[in-house]
């Protein structure tokens, strides 16, 4: 993945760039990596293993989307940590 971060603060981060995905044809070992324009949106700051991280990452494909699992909707949730890990100091 080749990304350029355009926004980064305590509540969210946004990057634009290129998502590379193997087409696994004829097999994953012999496949070709294809490039897709992507925006990554990171939200839901949580404390995970004593570190503050973004708990939700969504990949948004503005044009062509990679094949399954992304992504007939042109969106994929890449990471979604449970809300119960929200640290009280980060709420509100």
């Amino acid at each position: 993945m080749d990304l350029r971060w355009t926004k980064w603060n305590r509540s969210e981060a946004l990057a634009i760039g290129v998502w590379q995905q193997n087409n696994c044809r004829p097999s994953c070992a012999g496949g070709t990596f294809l490039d897709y324009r992507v925006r990554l949106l990171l939200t839901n700051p949580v404390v995970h293993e004593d570190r503050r991280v973004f708990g939700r990452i969504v990949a948004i494909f503005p044009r062509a989307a990679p094949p399954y699992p992304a992504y007939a909707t042109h969106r994929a949730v890449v990471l979604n940590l449970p809300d119960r890990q929200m640290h009280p100091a980060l709420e509100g």
Side-chain angles (χ1 to χ4, degrees):
M1 220 182 274
D2 179 24
L3 298 174
R4 181 174 57 90
W5 294 97
T6 60
K7 180 178 187 176
W8 192 287
N9 60 43
R10 291 181 55 84
S11 62
E12 65 183 7
L14 178 65
I16 58 173
V18 177
W19 173 291
Q20 296 175 323
Q21 184 163 318
N22 191 339
N23 67 2
C24 292
R25 290 186 192 143
S27 66
C28 291
T32 300
F33 280 87
L34 304 175
D35 293 345
Y36 299 89
R37 291 190 172 276
V38 68
R39 283 184 234 139
L40 286 185
L41 177 62
L42 288 65
T43 59
N44 189 28
V46 298
V47 173
H48 181 71
E49 298 180 357
D50 296 325
R51 291 181 171 241
R52 185 171 187 268
V53 299
F54 289 107
R56 182 173 173 87
I57 302 173
V58 177
I60 303 161
F61 303 96
R63 295 188 184 138
Y68 177 82
Y71 326 130
T73 63
H74 287 241
R75 295 173 65 94
V77 176
V78 180
L79 173 71
N80 197 16
L81 295 175
D83 287 338
R84 71 179 186 278
Q85 294 180 343
M86 179 68 82
H87 191 280
L90 299 176
E91 294 178 344

